[in-house]
Amino acid sequence: NFYDNVLIVLYRNIQEHTTWKDGRCFTKYTAFLVNGEEPVGDALLEQWANETEWFIKDMKHLLNLEYHKFWSTIVHNATALESVVSFMQNALPFYLVPVLKALDNDRVLPLYTAAHAHVFRVICRLTTVHESGTCWMEPEFYGKLVYKHFIVTVPFLFDLISVYSRDNDAQIARILDMVLQLQPKYIQDLKHGLSYLLNAFNIIQTRCESELADANVSEATLNDLTLYAQDCSSVLVQLVTVSPTLRTICAELGVEFALSNFYDNVLIVLYRNIQEVNRQSRYLAALNDMRVELLETFRSVLSVQLEKIMDGSSDSLLAADRFIGILTECLANSVFVGDYKSLYDIEDDLAIVQVGYQSVDQVKYDFIQKAYARERPKQPAAPVASAEQQERDESPATDDASLSEEEQRVQQNVRYIMELLPDLAVEQVRKVVRAYDNVEQAVSVLLEQDHAASGPSGVPSSSGDQPHIPADPLDEFYLRTGIDRLNIYDGDEFDVMVNDKVKGIIKKGKGMPGQPRTLTELLDDKSHVQQMRHFYRQYDLIAEQEPDDDDEYDDSFEAMAESESRHVKVAKGARNALADAVDAESSEEEQESEEEQSEQGANRNGAMAFCENPELARKRYEERFNSKYLRRHGSAAAGPSPKEADVRGKPKGQGQDAKVLLNRRHKNEHKATSGNHNRKQGASYKRNRGMLPS
């Protein structure tokens, strides 16, 4: 009890207590090289050498501290951990270390090597739980300590891999496994870190698409993109290489397609552009190394599914489908697929998939097997077959074991074509089969060849020229651009999946475009009105004539406004029956308007033909109002007489009647029930009819 509750508690407090920390201000590491191409002056090298010497002294001092003081300094002295992290962030990656040897200064490489070694010793001490028999820490306490105080983070691990993984694979693998085992929270953090790394791949691809679109891209831009791509890809490659746990995490995140897409759209594009600018650039070799590393990484991550199938786990079917799905998805990147199947033989992998789980989709399996099959090297054309060999071909019993593999293939194809075309000569068929590896192409040549140029026996003429069949232009285009032709409709002018605007009419629903789709639209055809609208708009260009009597125009405006307001109310609140009545009224109004136009055409004179007589307009509106009222109510409208509705009264100062005052009061109280104050509408109405708005 005393051991656990007293000694252990005191030991922990001593380890991380502030009183045991070292108050030294540790030096940060500064870098002088970015990509190894900028010239470095002697003064800058001297300054860097002096600062690096102080940095090495600080690292030695940190290593010489006792166990409890070391951890107290790391936890409570912020400059100690910042000094270590500064070297991790500013140190040269493994692919730029050879640049140091090209410098003339003899102090640079030894100082950098010493700093590199001392920082790695500090990192090893940071990731060691049991240092000696008296200096140790409980694993659970260590996991909480490094995670709580951000001593070990995901960026720290990524920098550690980028700087030290090539020379210390075993140590880096031990550190990663120990950290992930003692603190499982790092697994979720690493998933987020890998997602960010895949997002960086997309950023690089976007930059390549945007910056390389210009034909005059500079070599410095290409080198910068290459370094960016090399930095990101090297981290992912080393993560998969040194840690099986991280390899499984990459398989869960599905980085396979991201790798193949990055391979085709970034590495290949950068290689072509750099080769056009500078064929002697050292970045071409770096891109070739990245291509090989990405292929190996893809193979390593893909093998996770094969391991699940071989283990016979419960999700073996899912792993088999996942394996075939990954290969199918990567077929979109043709250059990657070509390089991968030339480097690795996938036949054994597919055999494992088929044996491990028999119910795998056979159609997908055959498709992948043909897509990733290695191409056979073309053999030189053999001499013309002798008569003895021709007799062996014609005889059904032929000894295939005595022939070579190439000869067996030719003989098999000849037999197959002779079954289809028995009227041809064997010598002619054999000659065409030897010239064309594909049987379908050989049959096409035999069918399309010119018989006029052949001899009486069907054998081609002595010139030996084979009939030329022009290649498909689309096939040449896809071969030049590197895009696979997926189906026979690719590039067709009527393919709506490719072309936004195709020739002809795409019919959707009933009727043709622009024609009426229902009976109502057919009967309510206003096309003639739309065609003549521009003609009547020319009346607006005629000079307006000032009316003689403003009151007459005001009366016509009031009648018009009353009629239009009534139509608005009907349109807003009426039901179906009322809508039918309004339609009937509108048809009658059209008839009346036609009659009025005929009357006006007869009564108009030459000078005032464009202006309507206000008296006739008032009379027409009054008759229309009475007819509508009669149809609705069965009797004529009995409006108040002018005397009963008098609101003007006598001139001011002569006194008013009680009836006039009552009418004024009634008008003031009910003036909001009818909207007759739309001045804009009234002015437009008058202007369209050649009147002068008031």
Side-chain angles (χ1 to χ4, degrees):
N1 191 13
F2 178 78
Y3 183 87
D4 286 343
N5 299 329
V6 178
L7 296 182
I8 300 301
V9 172
L10 288 174
Y11 187 75
R12 289 176 179 175
N13 292 330
I14 288 173
Q15 283 179 340
E16 59 172 347
H17 201 274
T18 56
T19 57
W20 298 101
K21 72 174 182 179
D22 195 321
R24 185 188 184 103
C25 184
F26 291 86
T27 307
K28 292 184 179 181
Y29 177 80
T30 56
F32 65 91
L33 289 175
V34 177
N35 57 2
E37 293 185 352
E38 289 81 0
V40 183
D42 295 336
L44 186 60
L45 288 177
E46 280 300 320
Q47 181 181 357
W48 176 86
N50 296 330
E51 293 178 357
T52 306
E53 288 179 354
W54 281 105
F55 176 79
I56 295 173
K57 292 179 181 179
D58 291 341
M59 291 297 103
K60 290 180 179 179
H61 177 77
L62 190 61
L63 289 171
N64 292 329
L65 292 176
E66 299 179 4
Y67 190 71
H68 60 282
K69 291 184 178 180
F70 172 80
W71 279 102
S72 298
T73 304
I74 291 293
V75 173
H76 297 287
N77 190 350
T79 61
L81 188 59
E82 289 177 359
S83 179
V84 178
V85 173
S86 66
F87 181 83
M88 303 289 294
Q89 294 176 347
N90 297 320
L92 292 177
F94 61 88
Y95 49 83
L96 288 180
V97 173
V99 178
L100 295 176
K101 299 178 181 179
L103 298 176
D104 297 335
N105 199 318
D106 297 336
R107 299 178 58 192
V108 174
L109 185 60
L111 286 175
Y112 180 82
T113 305
H116 186 274
H118 283 86
V119 171
F120 188 70
R121 293 191 186 98
V122 172
I123 294 173
C124 291
R125 192 176 187 185
L126 283 174
T127 55
T128 301
V129 178
H130 195 280
E131 188 171 323
S132 64
T134 57
C135 301
W136 51 273
M137 197 182 304
E138 291 183 354
E140 295 180 359
F141 177 76
Y142 172 81
K144 295 178 181 179
L145 180 67
V146 296
Y147 193 82
K148 175 182 177 182
H149 295 281
F150 300 98
I151 298 175
V152 178
T153 59
V154 172
F156 181 87
L157 295 176
F158 282 4
D159 292 335
L160 178 65
I161 290 173
S162 178
V163 177
Y164 291 102
S165 60
R166 286 302 177 95
D167 300 329
N168 305 277
D169 289 344
Q171 293 291 336
I172 300 300
R174 180 195 66 80
I175 292 173
L176 285 175
D177 293 339
M178 187 268 295
V179 169
L180 295 178
Q181 183 180 2
L182 297 181
Q183 183 52 265
K185 293 182 180 180
Y186 282 113
I187 296 178
Q188 189 65 27
D189 294 345
L190 283 171
K191 289 182 179 180
H192 291 296
L194 288 172
S195 301
Y196 178 80
L197 192 59
L198 296 179
N199 188 28
F201 283 177
N202 295 331
I203 294 173
I204 298 173
Q205 182 176 347
T206 304
R207 284 190 59 186
C208 288
E209 294 174 354
S210 60
E211 297 182 10
L212 300 184
D214 187 8
N216 297 325
V217 61
S218 62
E219 185 179 0
T221 303
L222 296 174
N223 296 341
D224 180 58
L225 288 172
T226 304
L227 285 174
Y228 191 7
Q230 190 174 11
D231 187 51
C232 295
S233 63
S234 63
V235 172
L236 182 60
V237 168
Q238 294 303 314
L239 279 173
V240 174
T241 303
V242 301
S243 177
T245 305
L246 292 177
R247 184 165 64 97
T248 306
I249 294 175
C250 291
E252 294 176 359
L253 294 178
V255 302
E256 297 90 348
F257 181 72
L259 289 175
S260 64
N261 197 26
F262 184 79
Y263 188 96
D264 263 34
N265 299 323
V266 176
L267 299 187
I268 302 301
V269 174
L270 287 175
Y271 190 89
R272 290 173 181 172
N273 283 271
I274 293 177
Q275 194 174 21
E276 292 178 358
V277 176
N278 183 11
R279 291 182 175 272
Q280 305 299 327
S281 177
R282 65 182 182 86
Y283 291 97
L284 295 177
L287 288 171
N288 282 329
D289 294 341
M290 278 191 285
R291 291 174 63 178
V292 176
E293 291 175 352
L294 286 182
L295 289 173
E296 294 176 352
T297 304
F298 180 88
R299 172 75 175 179
S300 178
V301 177
L302 188 63
S303 63
V304 174
Q305 312 300 333
L306 295 177
E307 293 174 359
K308 292 181 181 179
I309 297 173
M310 296 176 66
D311 293 342
S313 58
S314 58
D315 58 345
S316 58
L317 176 60
L318 181 62
D321 290 338
R322 177 65 179 163
F323 181 85
I324 296 179
I326 291 170
L327 295 180
T328 305
E329 191 176 17
C330 292
L331 285 175
N333 303 311
S334 58
V335 180
F336 173 82
V337 172
D339 293 346
Y340 182 78
K341 67 183 182 181
S342 64
L343 189 60
Y344 298 102
D345 190 4
I346 203 172
E347 292 292 336
D348 297 337
D349 299 341
L350 292 176
I352 294 174
V353 172
Q354 193 174 28
V355 172
Y357 209 89
Q358 298 293 338
S359 63
V360 70
D361 193 348
Q362 190 64 29
V363 176
K364 295 181 179 179
Y365 179 86
D366 295 339
F367 176 74
I368 290 298
Q369 190 175 20
K370 293 179 180 179
Y372 283 86
R374 285 189 175 183
E375 298 179 357
R376 296 178 179 177
K378 294 184 179 181
Q379 300 292 337
V384 180
S386 60
E388 182 181 358
Q389 190 173 0
Q390 181 177 353
E391 293 177 359
R392 289 201 306 267
D393 293 337
E394 293 176 352
S395 61
T398 306
D399 189 8
D400 295 340
S402 60
L403 302 177
S404 62
E405 181 180 356
E406 179 69 19
E407 196 64 32
Q408 290 179 8
R409 182 184 64 82
V410 173
Q411 185 174 343
Q412 184 178 1
N413 293 339
V414 169
R415 289 179 181 177
Y416 177 74
I417 296 176
M418 289 300 297
E419 292 177 1
L420 297 176
L421 306 172
D423 57 327
L424 298 179
V426 179
E427 181 182 356
Q428 177 186 2
V429 175
R430 178 178 294 280
K431 189 172 184 179
V432 174
V433 169
R434 289 187 180 277
Y436 299 95
D437 293 337
N438 194 354
V439 179
E440 289 81 3
Q441 192 173 3
V443 173
S444 178
V445 170
L446 291 170
L447 292 176
E448 296 292 337
Q449 89 179 38
D450 189 8
H451 295 284
S454 303
S457 62
V459 182
S461 59
S462 59
S463 60
D465 296 335
Q466 295 292 338
H468 175 68
I469 298 178
D472 189 356
L474 291 178
D475 291 338
E476 295 179 358
F477 169 75
Y478 289 125
L479 181 61
R480 185 170 61 255
T481 57
I483 305 174
D484 292 336
R485 186 171 183 173
L486 302 180
N487 53 60
I488 61 174
Y489 300 106
D490 285 352
D492 192 85
E493 59 182 359
F494 299 103
D495 190 0
V496 296
M497 303 300 293
V498 178
N499 302 321
D500 295 335
K501 296 182 180 179
V502 298
K503 295 183 179 180
I505 299 175
I506 301 177
K507 184 176 177 298
K508 296 182 180 179
K510 298 180 179 179
M512 298 298 290
Q515 296 182 357
R517 292 178 295 180
T518 59
L519 180 61
T520 305
E521 293 183 3
L522 180 62
L523 297 177
D524 191 21
D525 187 9
K526 298 294 191 301
S527 59
H528 179 69
V529 178
Q530 298 295 334
Q531 293 174 2
M532 299 300 295
R533 186 180 298 275
H534 71 281
F535 177 76
Y536 288 101
R537 286 178 179 174
Q538 296 178 2
Y539 287 116
D540 294 342
L541 303 177
I542 302 177
E544 300 175 350
Q545 183 174 356
E546 184 177 359
D548 297 334
D549 189 1
D550 293 341
D551 295 337
E552 295 178 355
Y553 292 103
D554 294 340
D555 295 339
S556 64
F557 162 68
E558 292 177 359
M560 180 274 300
E562 182 180 359
S563 175
E564 292 186 356
S565 64
R566 183 164 59 256
H567 280 284
V568 171
K569 292 180 181 178
V570 169
K572 289 185 177 180
R575 300 297 180 183
N576 293 333
L578 186 57
D580 297 337
V582 173
D583 293 337
E585 293 174 5
S586 62
S587 62
E588 293 178 2
E589 290 176 2
E590 292 177 359
Q591 295 177 0
E592 293 175 1
S593 62
E594 292 177 358
E595 295 175 359
E596 293 168 1
Q597 289 178 2
S598 62
E599 293 176 0
Q600 293 173 4
N603 298 330
R604 286 175 182 170
N605 53 14
M608 299 293 293
F610 67 93
C611 184
E612 185 180 8
N613 190 357
E615 295 179 358
L616 297 177
R618 283 201 304 271
K619 183 179 179 180
R620 183 173 67 255
Y621 289 138
E622 184 178 357
E623 291 176 355
R624 187 182 301 171
F625 175 75
N626 292 332
S627 63
K628 290 181 181 179
Y629 193 88
L630 181 62
R631 285 195 305 270
R632 293 181 180 177
H633 303 284
S635 61
S641 61
K643 291 185 179 181
E644 294 177 356
D646 185 19
V647 293
R648 297 184 63 181
K650 300 178 182 180
K652 186 176 181 181
Q654 297 183 8
Q656 303 296 339
D657 296 338
K659 192 67 174 177
V660 173
L661 296 177
L662 183 62
N663 290 339
R664 288 180 178 178
R665 180 182 176 184
H666 183 270
K667 179 181 179 181
N668 187 37
E669 291 178 354
H670 298 86
K671 64 182 179 180
T673 58
S674 62
N676 58 357
H677 53 278
N678 193 340
R679 299 178 181 177
K680 181 179 180 180
Q681 186 177 1
S684 301
Y685 173 78
K686 291 184 178 182
R687 186 180 293 107
N688 292 337
R689 286 160 177 78
M691 306 177 189
L692 183 64
S694 57

